[in-house]
Amino acid sequence: MSLSWAFRLPQLSGRAWLVWWRDYRTFMKTYKTNFIPPLVEPILYLVAFGFGLGGFVSKIGGESYAEFIAPALLAISMMTAAFFECTFGSFVRMYFQKTFDAIIATPLNVDEVIMGELLWGATKSVMYTVIVLGVVGVFGLVTFPMALLVVPFSFLVGLLFAGLGMTFTAVSPNIDTLSYPTSLYITPMMLLSGTFFPLDVLPAPVQQASWLLLPLLHAVNISRGMTYGELGPGMLLDLGWILAATAVVVVLSINLMRRRLIV
Amino acid sequence: MVTFVAPGKDIVVAKDLVKRFTDLVAVDGVSFAIKEGEVFGFLGPNGAGKTTTMRMIQCVSPLTSGILTVDDLDVVKDERRIKSILGVAPQEDNLDPDLTVMENLLVYSRYYDIPKAEAATRAERLLGFFQLEAKAATSIEKLSGGMKRRLLLARALLNEPRILILDEPTVGLDPQARHLIWDQLRQLRSRGSTIILTTHYMDEAERLCDRIVIMDNGRILAEGAPKDLVKSHMGDNVVECKLAPGVKECLAGTEGIKAIDVFGDTALVSTDSPQQVIEALLKGCGVESATVRRSTLEDVFLKLTGRTLRE
C-alpha cells in the first residue's frame, strides 16, 4: 500500500488563522482559570525539586539544581501546553462539539482547520512559556536578555508538540485512548530528556535512543543554552532535529485528520 | 415584501452519482436535478443514502463516481466557491458551546469573510427573524432544542446563501417550534432561495416541498410533486377494513382499484372510487365495516419502501 497520501502537501491559506482566532476567542473567555495551571505548576516544581530536593544535590556543571531544572521547566511547559491542547482539546472539538464539521461546511477546508488548531496549540505554548519565564525570572534562575529567546523558540517547539498530539488525536478511536500516548510517551519523555538529571548518567544506548526519539530532549538542550546565555554551534543539530520533526508531524497529522474526517 | 419567484434553471444536477464505503454502497447511481428556487426533499428510511447525498452536494464527502454540479460548478474542483453559496444546517447540533448565541454567529461569519459591521447587522436581523433576539447574550447550553435549531438555521443564513441545505430541520421539536420553522422556510422560499432538505416527517414534506425523491438502499424509487406521487401511486383515497378471508379475491372484479395491501389484520385498498369499493366490501365480501380516508404521502412511502424495520 502506498503511503504517499500521508505526506501529501496540505492545501493551506491564511484562512487557517480564522480557526486560530476562534480558539483564541473561546480561550480568552475563561482566561483567568486557564492561566492558573501554568503559573502554579512551575512554582511547585521549583519549590519541591529545585529548592527542596535541590538542597541534597551537588552543583551540576557549575549550576545549582534549581538553575539546572529551570530551562527544563520552560521546555516542559512548551510541550504540555501544545500537546494537551491538540490531543484532549482538539478531540473534544472534533468529536463531541463537532466544531470541525461546522467549520468545513464553510469555505474553509480540513487542512486549514487542522493547521489553525496547530497554530493555536503553538500559541498556547508561547503563552505558558511567558508565564513560566516570569516565574523562573523572579527567582533569578535565568540570564536575561538572552533568555527572552525562549519566547519565539517556544512557538516552534509548540508547533512540534501540537503536530505530535494531533497525530495521536487523528488515530485515537475515543478520548480515553489518548491517555496511552500521554502516559507511555509524554510522561517518560518528561523525565528522560535531560530535564531533572543530566543524561550522561545513563548507558550510552539509552542516551542515543533518547536523542533519536525524544523531541523534548532537543528542546531542553536549546532552552538551557538560551537561559544560561551560552548558545553553541552544537545546538544547531538540535534545531535541525526539531525543524525536521515539526515538518513531518504537521504534514502527517493534517493528512491523517483529513482521512478521518473526509469520508 | 413577498415576491414569488418561479423555479428557474437546474441549480444542482447529479448524474449516476455513486458513493461506496468499504463495506457498503451508500448511494448507488442516482440522478436528479434540483431547480433554482424550489424546495426539494429527500425522503427515505434510515440508511437510504439521503444524508450521504447531501454531504456530497456540500463538498464534504468525495464522490466515488458520477457527476455532481452545483450552480454549474463541479463539486470535485470548485469546493470553495460552492461552499461559499451554500448554507448548511446539520442534523446534529454543532454550535459552539463555549460561545454565546451572538458570538456563535459573529465567529461563524468570519469564515465567510463577512466584514465585521456587516456581520453584526446580519446577525441581529437573523436573530430577529428567528425570534431569538432576547437570547443574544445567552450561552448555548441554556437554549432549548427548538432554540438551538433556530440558531443553526440563522447561522446557515449568515452568508446569504443561494442554496440552503437542511438535514431534518424539525426533528425532535414541539408543534409550535415546527410551525415557526416552516413559516420561516416558506418566507425564504418566497424570496427565491433554493432549499434542499431531508425529513422523516411526511406532513413536513407535503407542506413544504415542491418536489421530493423517495430513496431506499441508495437508489431513487420515485420522484415528483408530493400530490402527484400520491395520486399516481395510491389514488385519491384509501379504504381500510378488517381482513376477512377471501377479501382480495372478492374485490378482484371491482373497478377503480389501484392496489390492495395487507398489513397485519388490516387490508388497505387504494382507489379513486371509494364508494364502489365500500359497497363491494360490505355487500359482497362479508366485511362488517370499512373506513375511507384520503391517501397520504405516508401511504406512498410505506408502499415503496416496505414496512420492515430498518435498524
PDB file of all heavy atoms in Angstrom, chain B residues 147-173:
ATOM      1  N   MET B 147     -34.721  26.282  20.192  1.00  0.00           N
ATOM      2  CA  MET B 147     -33.895  27.493  20.010  1.00  0.00           C
ATOM      3  C   MET B 147     -32.591  27.150  19.309  1.00  0.00           C
ATOM      4  O   MET B 147     -32.128  27.886  18.440  1.00  0.00           O
ATOM      5  CB  MET B 147     -33.586  28.119  21.368  1.00  0.00           C
ATOM      6  CG  MET B 147     -34.789  28.747  22.040  1.00  0.00           C
ATOM      7  SD  MET B 147     -34.296  29.320  23.676  1.00  0.00           S
ATOM      8  CE  MET B 147     -35.873  29.757  24.352  1.00  0.00           C
ATOM      9  N   LYS B 148     -31.985  26.014  19.702  1.00  0.00           N
ATOM     10  CA  LYS B 148     -30.729  25.617  19.060  1.00  0.00           C
ATOM     11  C   LYS B 148     -30.940  25.417  17.567  1.00  0.00           C
ATOM     12  O   LYS B 148     -30.118  25.823  16.749  1.00  0.00           O
ATOM     13  CB  LYS B 148     -30.213  24.312  19.674  1.00  0.00           C
ATOM     14  CG  LYS B 148     -29.548  24.501  21.008  1.00  0.00           C
ATOM     15  CD  LYS B 148     -28.944  23.200  21.485  1.00  0.00           C
ATOM     16  CE  LYS B 148     -28.431  23.334  22.912  1.00  0.00           C
ATOM     17  NZ  LYS B 148     -28.142  22.066  23.528  1.00  0.00           N
ATOM     18  N   ARG B 149     -32.053  24.800  17.240  1.00  0.00           N
ATOM     19  CA  ARG B 149     -32.331  24.524  15.839  1.00  0.00           C
ATOM     20  C   ARG B 149     -32.544  25.827  15.060  1.00  0.00           C
ATOM     21  O   ARG B 149     -32.085  25.985  13.944  1.00  0.00           O
ATOM     22  CB  ARG B 149     -33.573  23.648  15.745  1.00  0.00           C
ATOM     23  CG  ARG B 149     -33.666  22.845  14.500  1.00  0.00           C
ATOM     24  CD  ARG B 149     -33.936  21.397  14.778  1.00  0.00           C
ATOM     25  NE  ARG B 149     -32.718  20.661  15.031  1.00  0.00           N
ATOM     26  CZ  ARG B 149     -31.943  20.175  14.085  1.00  0.00           C
ATOM     27  NH1 ARG B 149     -32.221  20.377  12.824  1.00  0.00           N
ATOM     28  NH2 ARG B 149     -30.879  19.502  14.392  1.00  0.00           N
ATOM     29  N   ARG B 150     -33.222  26.761  15.692  1.00  0.00           N
ATOM     30  CA  ARG B 150     -33.429  28.058  15.026  1.00  0.00           C
ATOM     31  C   ARG B 150     -32.091  28.773  14.865  1.00  0.00           C
ATOM     32  O   ARG B 150     -31.846  29.415  13.844  1.00  0.00           O
ATOM     33  CB  ARG B 150     -34.416  28.905  15.826  1.00  0.00           C
ATOM     34  CG  ARG B 150     -35.847  28.718  15.344  1.00  0.00           C
ATOM     35  CD  ARG B 150     -36.822  28.653  16.474  1.00  0.00           C
ATOM     36  NE  ARG B 150     -36.865  29.850  17.299  1.00  0.00           N
ATOM     37  CZ  ARG B 150     -37.325  29.867  18.549  1.00  0.00           C
ATOM     38  NH1 ARG B 150     -37.772  28.742  19.092  1.00  0.00           N
ATOM     39  NH2 ARG B 150     -37.332  30.968  19.249  1.00  0.00           N
ATOM     40  N   LEU B 151     -31.240  28.640  15.873  1.00  0.00           N
ATOM     41  CA  LEU B 151     -29.935  29.294  15.767  1.00  0.00           C
ATOM     42  C   LEU B 151     -29.091  28.646  14.666  1.00  0.00           C
ATOM     43  O   LEU B 151     -28.366  29.328  13.928  1.00  0.00           O
ATOM     44  CB  LEU B 151     -29.205  29.227  17.117  1.00  0.00           C
ATOM     45  CG  LEU B 151     -27.845  29.926  17.175  1.00  0.00           C
ATOM     46  CD1 LEU B 151     -27.964  31.397  16.777  1.00  0.00           C
ATOM     47  CD2 LEU B 151     -27.239  29.816  18.569  1.00  0.00           C
ATOM     48  N   LEU B 152     -29.195  27.323  14.536  1.00  0.00           N
ATOM     49  CA  LEU B 152     -28.479  26.638  13.444  1.00  0.00           C
ATOM     50  C   LEU B 152     -28.949  27.170  12.088  1.00  0.00           C
ATOM     51  O   LEU B 152     -28.148  27.380  11.178  1.00  0.00           O
ATOM     52  CB  LEU B 152     -28.729  25.128  13.507  1.00  0.00           C
ATOM     53  CG  LEU B 152     -27.923  24.326  14.522  1.00  0.00           C
ATOM     54  CD1 LEU B 152     -28.478  22.906  14.629  1.00  0.00           C
ATOM     55  CD2 LEU B 152     -26.449  24.273  14.139  1.00  0.00           C
ATOM     56  N   LEU B 153     -30.260  27.404  11.984  1.00  0.00           N
ATOM     57  CA  LEU B 153     -30.788  27.951  10.731  1.00  0.00           C
ATOM     58  C   LEU B 153     -30.288  29.375  10.517  1.00  0.00           C
ATOM     59  O   LEU B 153     -29.892  29.749   9.413  1.00  0.00           O
ATOM     60  CB  LEU B 153     -32.324  27.931  10.748  1.00  0.00           C
ATOM     61  CG  LEU B 153     -32.961  26.557  10.553  1.00  0.00           C
ATOM     62  CD1 LEU B 153     -34.453  26.616  10.853  1.00  0.00           C
ATOM     63  CD2 LEU B 153     -32.752  26.089   9.121  1.00  0.00           C
ATOM     64  N   ALA B 154     -30.312  30.162  11.587  1.00  0.00           N
ATOM     65  CA  ALA B 154     -29.821  31.538  11.474  1.00  0.00           C
ATOM     66  C   ALA B 154     -28.368  31.539  11.024  1.00  0.00           C
ATOM     67  O   ALA B 154     -27.959  32.299  10.142  1.00  0.00           O
ATOM     68  CB  ALA B 154     -29.960  32.249  12.822  1.00  0.00           C
ATOM     69  N   ARG B 155     -27.573  30.647  11.602  1.00  0.00           N
ATOM     70  CA  ARG B 155     -26.162  30.568  11.252  1.00  0.00           C
ATOM     71  C   ARG B 155     -25.988  30.176   9.784  1.00  0.00           C
ATOM     72  O   ARG B 155     -25.119  30.694   9.091  1.00  0.00           O
ATOM     73  CB  ARG B 155     -25.479  29.539  12.162  1.00  0.00           C
ATOM     74  CG  ARG B 155     -23.976  29.627  12.171  1.00  0.00           C
ATOM     75  CD  ARG B 155     -23.357  28.527  13.005  1.00  0.00           C
ATOM     76  NE  ARG B 155     -23.594  27.218  12.422  1.00  0.00           N
ATOM     77  CZ  ARG B 155     -23.121  26.079  12.923  1.00  0.00           C
ATOM     78  NH1 ARG B 155     -22.413  26.096  14.038  1.00  0.00           N
ATOM     79  NH2 ARG B 155     -23.382  24.938  12.345  1.00  0.00           N
ATOM     80  N   ALA B 156     -26.864  29.274   9.325  1.00  0.00           N
ATOM     81  CA  ALA B 156     -26.769  28.821   7.929  1.00  0.00           C
ATOM     82  C   ALA B 156     -27.101  29.939   6.951  1.00  0.00           C
ATOM     83  O   ALA B 156     -26.750  29.867   5.781  1.00  0.00           O
ATOM     84  CB  ALA B 156     -27.700  27.637   7.707  1.00  0.00           C
ATOM     85  N   LEU B 157     -27.783  30.988   7.440  1.00  0.00           N
ATOM     86  CA  LEU B 157     -28.207  32.064   6.533  1.00  0.00           C
ATOM     87  C   LEU B 157     -27.258  33.259   6.544  1.00  0.00           C
ATOM     88  O   LEU B 157     -27.442  34.215   5.794  1.00  0.00           O
ATOM     89  CB  LEU B 157     -29.614  32.542   6.926  1.00  0.00           C
ATOM     90  CG  LEU B 157     -30.722  31.525   6.636  1.00  0.00           C
ATOM     91  CD1 LEU B 157     -32.020  31.953   7.305  1.00  0.00           C
ATOM     92  CD2 LEU B 157     -30.921  31.358   5.144  1.00  0.00           C
ATOM     93  N   LEU B 158     -26.223  33.201   7.390  1.00  0.00           N
ATOM     94  CA  LEU B 158     -25.317  34.342   7.552  1.00  0.00           C
ATOM     95  C   LEU B 158     -24.710  34.813   6.233  1.00  0.00           C
ATOM     96  O   LEU B 158     -24.562  36.003   5.998  1.00  0.00           O
ATOM     97  CB  LEU B 158     -24.177  33.964   8.502  1.00  0.00           C
ATOM     98  CG  LEU B 158     -24.406  34.188   9.987  1.00  0.00           C
ATOM     99  CD1 LEU B 158     -23.239  33.617  10.750  1.00  0.00           C
ATOM    100  CD2 LEU B 158     -24.568  35.680  10.280  1.00  0.00           C
ATOM    101  N   ASN B 159     -24.331  33.866   5.391  1.00  0.00           N
ATOM    102  CA  ASN B 159     -23.644  34.233   4.145  1.00  0.00           C
ATOM    103  C   ASN B 159     -24.643  34.489   3.016  1.00  0.00           C
ATOM    104  O   ASN B 159     -24.261  34.511   1.853  1.00  0.00           O
ATOM    105  CB  ASN B 159     -22.638  33.149   3.736  1.00  0.00           C
ATOM    106  CG  ASN B 159     -23.300  31.805   3.513  1.00  0.00           C
ATOM    107  OD1 ASN B 159     -24.251  31.475   4.213  1.00  0.00           O
ATOM    108  ND2 ASN B 159     -22.813  31.044   2.555  1.00  0.00           N
ATOM    109  N   GLU B 160     -25.931  34.669   3.363  1.00  0.00           N
ATOM    110  CA  GLU B 160     -26.989  34.875   2.372  1.00  0.00           C
ATOM    111  C   GLU B 160     -26.873  33.862   1.245  1.00  0.00           C
ATOM    112  O   GLU B 160     -26.691  34.218   0.079  1.00  0.00           O
ATOM    113  CB  GLU B 160     -26.947  36.327   1.862  1.00  0.00           C
ATOM    114  CG  GLU B 160     -27.119  37.279   3.041  1.00  0.00           C
ATOM    115  CD  GLU B 160     -27.205  38.745   2.665  1.00  0.00           C
ATOM    116  OE1 GLU B 160     -26.696  39.099   1.595  1.00  0.00           O
ATOM    117  OE2 GLU B 160     -27.785  39.500   3.457  1.00  0.00           O
ATOM    118  N   PRO B 161     -26.998  32.584   1.605  1.00  0.00           N
ATOM    119  CA  PRO B 161     -26.721  31.519   0.633  1.00  0.00           C
ATOM    120  C   PRO B 161     -27.797  31.442  -0.448  1.00  0.00           C
ATOM    121  O   PRO B 161     -28.951  31.772  -0.190  1.00  0.00           O
ATOM    122  CB  PRO B 161     -26.759  30.259   1.497  1.00  0.00           C
ATOM    123  CG  PRO B 161     -27.671  30.592   2.620  1.00  0.00           C
ATOM    124  CD  PRO B 161     -27.440  32.044   2.908  1.00  0.00           C
ATOM    125  N   ARG B 162     -27.390  31.008  -1.614  1.00  0.00           N
ATOM    126  CA  ARG B 162     -28.373  30.795  -2.675  1.00  0.00           C
ATOM    127  C   ARG B 162     -29.047  29.440  -2.502  1.00  0.00           C
ATOM    128  O   ARG B 162     -30.152  29.222  -2.974  1.00  0.00           O
ATOM    129  CB  ARG B 162     -27.683  30.875  -4.039  1.00  0.00           C
ATOM    130  CG  ARG B 162     -27.258  32.316  -4.338  1.00  0.00           C
ATOM    131  CD  ARG B 162     -26.487  32.403  -5.615  1.00  0.00           C
ATOM    132  NE  ARG B 162     -27.231  31.830  -6.726  1.00  0.00           N
ATOM    133  CZ  ARG B 162     -26.660  31.428  -7.862  1.00  0.00           C
ATOM    134  NH1 ARG B 162     -25.365  31.552  -8.018  1.00  0.00           N
ATOM    135  NH2 ARG B 162     -27.387  30.924  -8.831  1.00  0.00           N
ATOM    136  N   ILE B 163     -28.341  28.535  -1.827  1.00  0.00           N
ATOM    137  CA  ILE B 163     -28.909  27.206  -1.592  1.00  0.00           C
ATOM    138  C   ILE B 163     -28.801  26.890  -0.105  1.00  0.00           C
ATOM    139  O   ILE B 163     -27.734  26.998   0.488  1.00  0.00           O
ATOM    140  CB  ILE B 163     -28.138  26.131  -2.375  1.00  0.00           C
ATOM    141  CG1 ILE B 163     -28.085  26.483  -3.856  1.00  0.00           C
ATOM    142  CG2 ILE B 163     -28.780  24.764  -2.165  1.00  0.00           C
ATOM    143  CD1 ILE B 163     -27.177  25.574  -4.659  1.00  0.00           C
ATOM    144  N   LEU B 164     -29.942  26.511   0.473  1.00  0.00           N
ATOM    145  CA  LEU B 164     -29.965  26.182   1.884  1.00  0.00           C
ATOM    146  C   LEU B 164     -30.122  24.667   2.017  1.00  0.00           C
ATOM    147  O   LEU B 164     -31.022  24.078   1.424  1.00  0.00           O
ATOM    148  CB  LEU B 164     -31.151  26.900   2.527  1.00  0.00           C
ATOM    149  CG  LEU B 164     -31.229  26.971   4.040  1.00  0.00           C
ATOM    150  CD1 LEU B 164     -29.975  27.584   4.621  1.00  0.00           C
ATOM    151  CD2 LEU B 164     -32.443  27.797   4.445  1.00  0.00           C
ATOM    152  N   ILE B 165     -29.217  24.047   2.775  1.00  0.00           N
ATOM    153  CA  ILE B 165     -29.260  22.597   2.937  1.00  0.00           C
ATOM    154  C   ILE B 165     -29.615  22.254   4.375  1.00  0.00           C
ATOM    155  O   ILE B 165     -28.912  22.649   5.304  1.00  0.00           O
ATOM    156  CB  ILE B 165     -27.893  21.982   2.554  1.00  0.00           C
ATOM    157  CG1 ILE B 165     -27.635  22.241   1.075  1.00  0.00           C
ATOM    158  CG2 ILE B 165     -27.861  20.491   2.869  1.00  0.00           C
ATOM    159  CD1 ILE B 165     -26.392  21.568   0.546  1.00  0.00           C
ATOM    160  N   LEU B 166     -30.727  21.549   4.558  1.00  0.00           N
ATOM    161  CA  LEU B 166     -31.222  21.285   5.912  1.00  0.00           C
ATOM    162  C   LEU B 166     -31.404  19.792   6.113  1.00  0.00           C
ATOM    163  O   LEU B 166     -32.178  19.153   5.410  1.00  0.00           O
ATOM    164  CB  LEU B 166     -32.580  21.974   6.115  1.00  0.00           C
ATOM    165  CG  LEU B 166     -32.692  23.430   5.655  1.00  0.00           C
ATOM    166  CD1 LEU B 166     -34.133  23.901   5.740  1.00  0.00           C
ATOM    167  CD2 LEU B 166     -31.791  24.319   6.499  1.00  0.00           C
ATOM    168  N   ASP B 167     -30.688  19.244   7.094  1.00  0.00           N
ATOM    169  CA  ASP B 167     -30.822  17.823   7.375  1.00  0.00           C
ATOM    170  C   ASP B 167     -31.782  17.657   8.545  1.00  0.00           C
ATOM    171  O   ASP B 167     -31.438  17.960   9.679  1.00  0.00           O
ATOM    172  CB  ASP B 167     -29.438  17.230   7.698  1.00  0.00           C
ATOM    173  CG  ASP B 167     -29.409  15.725   7.502  1.00  0.00           C
ATOM    174  OD1 ASP B 167     -30.483  15.139   7.253  1.00  0.00           O
ATOM    175  OD2 ASP B 167     -28.316  15.135   7.593  1.00  0.00           O
ATOM    176  N   GLU B 168     -32.983  17.212   8.259  1.00  0.00           N
ATOM    177  CA  GLU B 168     -34.040  17.056   9.268  1.00  0.00           C
ATOM    178  C   GLU B 168     -34.208  18.312  10.125  1.00  0.00           C
ATOM    179  O   GLU B 168     -33.916  18.305  11.317  1.00  0.00           O
ATOM    180  CB  GLU B 168     -33.741  15.834  10.138  1.00  0.00           C
ATOM    181  CG  GLU B 168     -33.617  14.589   9.283  1.00  0.00           C
ATOM    182  CD  GLU B 168     -33.802  13.315  10.071  1.00  0.00           C
ATOM    183  OE1 GLU B 168     -34.453  13.361  11.123  1.00  0.00           O
ATOM    184  OE2 GLU B 168     -33.306  12.277   9.624  1.00  0.00           O
ATOM    185  N   PRO B 169     -34.728  19.373   9.504  1.00  0.00           N
ATOM    186  CA  PRO B 169     -34.753  20.671  10.188  1.00  0.00           C
ATOM    187  C   PRO B 169     -35.640  20.727  11.415  1.00  0.00           C
ATOM    188  O   PRO B 169     -35.411  21.566  12.281  1.00  0.00           O
ATOM    189  CB  PRO B 169     -35.274  21.627   9.106  1.00  0.00           C
ATOM    190  CG  PRO B 169     -35.947  20.770   8.102  1.00  0.00           C
ATOM    191  CD  PRO B 169     -35.233  19.455   8.123  1.00  0.00           C
ATOM    192  N   THR B 170     -36.631  19.850  11.547  1.00  0.00           N
ATOM    193  CA  THR B 170     -37.535  19.992  12.705  1.00  0.00           C
ATOM    194  C   THR B 170     -37.557  18.748  13.569  1.00  0.00           C
ATOM    195  O   THR B 170     -38.484  18.550  14.348  1.00  0.00           O
ATOM    196  CB  THR B 170     -38.984  20.301  12.251  1.00  0.00           C
ATOM    197  OG1 THR B 170     -39.469  19.173  11.512  1.00  0.00           O
ATOM    198  CG2 THR B 170     -39.040  21.538  11.395  1.00  0.00           C
ATOM    199  N   VAL B 171     -36.538  17.902  13.468  1.00  0.00           N
ATOM    200  CA  VAL B 171     -36.569  16.659  14.238  1.00  0.00           C
ATOM    201  C   VAL B 171     -36.564  16.965  15.740  1.00  0.00           C
ATOM    202  O   VAL B 171     -35.834  17.827  16.216  1.00  0.00           O
ATOM    203  CB  VAL B 171     -35.392  15.742  13.827  1.00  0.00           C
ATOM    204  CG1 VAL B 171     -34.057  16.296  14.277  1.00  0.00           C
ATOM    205  CG2 VAL B 171     -35.587  14.333  14.334  1.00  0.00           C
ATOM    206  N   GLY B 172     -37.442  16.298  16.463  1.00  0.00           N
ATOM    207  CA  GLY B 172     -37.489  16.440  17.916  1.00  0.00           C
ATOM    208  C   GLY B 172     -38.086  17.735  18.435  1.00  0.00           C
ATOM    209  O   GLY B 172     -37.911  18.063  19.606  1.00  0.00           O
ATOM    210  N   LEU B 173     -38.785  18.486  17.603  1.00  0.00           N
ATOM    211  CA  LEU B 173     -39.326  19.772  18.075  1.00  0.00           C
ATOM    212  C   LEU B 173     -40.821  19.658  18.390  1.00  0.00           C
ATOM    213  O   LEU B 173     -41.522  18.820  17.823  1.00  0.00           O
ATOM    214  CB  LEU B 173     -39.126  20.838  17.000  1.00  0.00           C
ATOM    215  CG  LEU B 173     -37.683  21.127  16.609  1.00  0.00           C
ATOM    216  CD1 LEU B 173     -37.646  22.331  15.684  1.00  0.00           C
ATOM    217  CD2 LEU B 173     -36.836  21.392  17.845  1.00  0.00           C
TER     218      LEU B 173
END
